[in-house]
Amino acid sequence: MDDAFRNDEKAETTRRGFLKTGATVVGGGVAAISGVSAAAAQEGANLPPNVPEWMTHPGADTGTHPYGLPSPFEKDVVRKILDEPKQYSSASSRTPLEKLNGIITPNGLHYERHHGGIPEIDPAQHRLMVYGLVEKPLVFTMDDLRRFPSVSRIHVMECSGNQSFSSKGRTTAGDVMGLVSCAEWTGVPLRTVLEECGVKPEAKWLVAEGADAAAMTRSIPIEKCLDDVMLAYSQNGERIRPEQGYPLRVFVPGYEGNMSIKWVRSLQLREEPIYSREETSKYTDLLTGGKAREFSFVMEAKSIITFPSGGQKLDGKGFWEITGLAWSGSGKITRVEVSVDGGATWQDAELQDPVLSICLTRFRFPWKWDGAPVTILSRATDETGYVQPTIEEIVAVRGKNSTYHNHAIQPWAINENGEVQNALA
Ligand SMILES: Nc1nc2c(c(=O)[nH]1)N[C@H]1C(S)=C(S)[C@@H](COP(=O)(O)O)O[C@H]1N2
Ligand SMILES: [Mo]
């Protein structure tokens, strides 16, 4: 809100203009931003010109929370378990995309996908074993790994099971697409560790195994491993959370989240992929005629409007900023278009800096709602020229058997009361 009144004359006039159209002007405009402040003004005691209660005594002591917590007023900003799991150990929780700003997902809200629960691993007893087609098989401690030169990169990660083909019962942006999060990951480039062991020329694949009860196992092509894959131990500056793979995870930028093996304990170099459960009976795209794609590693360009989105309400016509997130596993987002007429016409949204490779990109689009029912959509393009498809375009190529890798355009329907609904639900 403060931002709307910063000392930029032009912006100030324009924004005041926007706000006047929608909100009641109280006491010169500053308090007029939303109906909420107007309603609260009637209660009075803590509002101008009174001194609020919390200024009348000292606040809590420094160090009350050695590890800080969000305000208690933010208690509803939490991860969401959408489909109550039959077994606790095979489950996912979703990032509340519609409640967050910017591009970084706070660690406590990073989405989770576990196939065998969250192991509690003592880092002093954790080891990474590298074996198979290497000159020198080696076992590393966490301290060994942290002595290598490190890298930090901000990247998105998305589960290929994100955005179910059946949108029934999915209300919010998080419900629809919350198996995606973005963090700054720090670790050692996998290439550095592999060079320490000496990769034999016959090695074409690396098989990573996790130290969870699922022993999650995936094969990664060696070229990718020698390119940008990381062995990550930190997430947004602190050690990776247990849910994200403490103390060590593989991070495979741009590939389906399933390949970023958490709690990684071994890396085997091989000539062939291992064809584990997660790359045969699961995480493969079924086509028509009994066929399936062997692998679908790269996460394609995608976007979602997070405001206004399902479950939210526009409090009257006038100015609203449409905003959302776009990303691609193939590089940078170069364009996001928004439609405010159900897809008949499209206009470019503004991309907010920084626009990073394989990273959430925030887009913004100023809009004046005339109060009539409308469907709004967004569509992303990445630096390879790939344009986010419609669901019809995906079905035309793959048929209706796929369950993974849906990256279709998401429509939100706004009714005459300003209530926003998932147009596909
Ligand atoms: N060891 C192990 N690694 C794993 C998984 C798992 O269950 N066990 N789940 C995978 C899946 S399906 C995804 S989408 C990502 C989720 O990572 P996150 O929980 O940190 O978001 O981790 C992958 N790595
Ligand atoms: Mo996943």
Side-chain angles (χ1 to χ4, degrees), residues 111 113 115 158-162 179 256-259 283 404:
Y111 86 87
R113 177 72 184 100
H115 294 71
E158 183 182 16
C159 178
S160 49
N162 197 14
L179 294 180
E256 58 184 358
N258 188 261
M259 301 175 77
Y283 298 97
Y404 302 98

Side-chain angles (χ1 to χ4, degrees), residues 15-31:
R15 281 164 211 222
R16 283 197 179 183
F18 286 140
L19 297 171
K20 261 190 214 149
T21 59
T24 336
V25 178
V26 179
V30 178

Side-chain angles (χ1 to χ4, degrees), residues 19-308:
L19 297 171
K20 261 190 214 149
T21 59
T24 336
V25 178
V26 179
V30 178
I33 293 170
S34 72
V36 176
S37 37
Q42 290 149 22
E43 289 157 32
N46 287 320
L47 296 171
N50 300 327
V51 171
E53 183 277 328
W54 44 87
M55 286 182 76
T56 62
H57 54 84
D61 280 332
T62 307
T64 299
H65 300 292
Y67 192 99
L69 296 166
S71 160
F73 294 96
E74 299 301 313
K75 65 177 181 352
D76 295 334
V77 184
V78 290
R79 292 190 279 224
K80 186 156 164 190
I81 295 176
L82 197 62
D83 314 298
E84 262 328 303
K86 288 183 197 74
Q87 281 173 298
Y88 84 92
S89 53
S90 178
S92 62
S93 74
R94 294 169 172 256
T95 298
L97 299 173
E98 68 284 358
K99 293 178 177 161
L100 301 178
N101 302 118
I103 59 170
I104 299 290
T105 312
N107 287 345
L109 298 175
H110 196 285
Y111 86 87
E112 303 168 86
R113 177 72 184 100
H114 314 305
H115 294 71
I118 307 158
E120 190 178 278
I121 299 180
D122 173 0
Q125 294 181 55
H126 188 70
R127 297 290 182 274
L128 177 73
M129 178 171 73
V130 185
Y131 69 110
L133 296 172
V134 287
E135 306 295 343
K136 224 179 358 164
L138 288 172
V139 174
F140 298 93
T141 64
M142 285 307 299
D143 287 345
D144 293 337
L145 293 170
R146 277 198 290 269
R147 280 187 65 178
F148 285 111
S150 64
V151 286
S152 295
R153 291 209 207 92
I154 304 177
H155 280 310
V156 63
M157 185 170 60
E158 183 182 16
C159 178
S160 49
N162 197 14
Q163 197 180 1
S164 160
F165 277 86
S166 157
S167 220
K168 286 217 166 47
R170 292 174 196 249
T171 307
T172 67
D175 294 352
V176 172
M177 242 187 259
L179 294 180
V180 63
S181 300
C182 184
E184 184 200 56
W185 299 95
T186 300
V188 49
L190 176 55
R191 183 189 186 103
T192 307
V193 173
L194 292 180
E195 281 171 354
E196 190 78 8
C197 302
V199 176
K200 292 189 175 166
E202 317 87 87
K204 296 287 177 271
W205 291 82
L206 174 144
V207 173
E209 186 196 39
D212 53 340
M216 167 77 57
T217 303
R218 284 294 307 249
S219 313
I220 310 166
I222 192 73
E223 305 79 50
K224 182 70 174 171
C225 295
L226 296 174
D227 180 14
D228 59 356
V229 178
M230 290 165 75
L231 292 168
Y233 44 74
S234 283
Q235 172 188 0
N236 291 330
E238 63 180 1
R239 289 289 140 76
I240 284 182
R241 291 284 173 95
E243 304 93 295
Q244 265 65 60
Y246 184 88
L248 188 70
R249 87 175 300 162
V250 177
F251 191 88
V252 189
Y255 282 18
E256 58 184 358
N258 188 261
M259 301 175 77
S260 289
I261 296 294
K262 302 189 275 192
W263 315 291
V264 61
R265 67 187 287 265
S266 73
L267 305 174
Q268 184 193 17
L269 281 297
R270 303 163 48 96
E271 273 179 70
E272 301 288 339
I274 201 156
Y275 296 111
S276 68
R277 172 184 179 273
E278 266 63 42
E279 46 204 41
T280 50
S281 85
K282 300 287 172 188
Y283 298 97
T284 20
D285 294 332
L286 299 180
L287 306 173
T288 51
K291 290 192 176 174
R293 285 187 178 151
E294 187 178 28
F295 298 117
S296 310
F297 294 151
V298 176
M299 300 303 292
E300 310 270 31
K302 193 161 174 174
S303 68
I304 186 167
I305 292 171
T306 54
F307 183 88

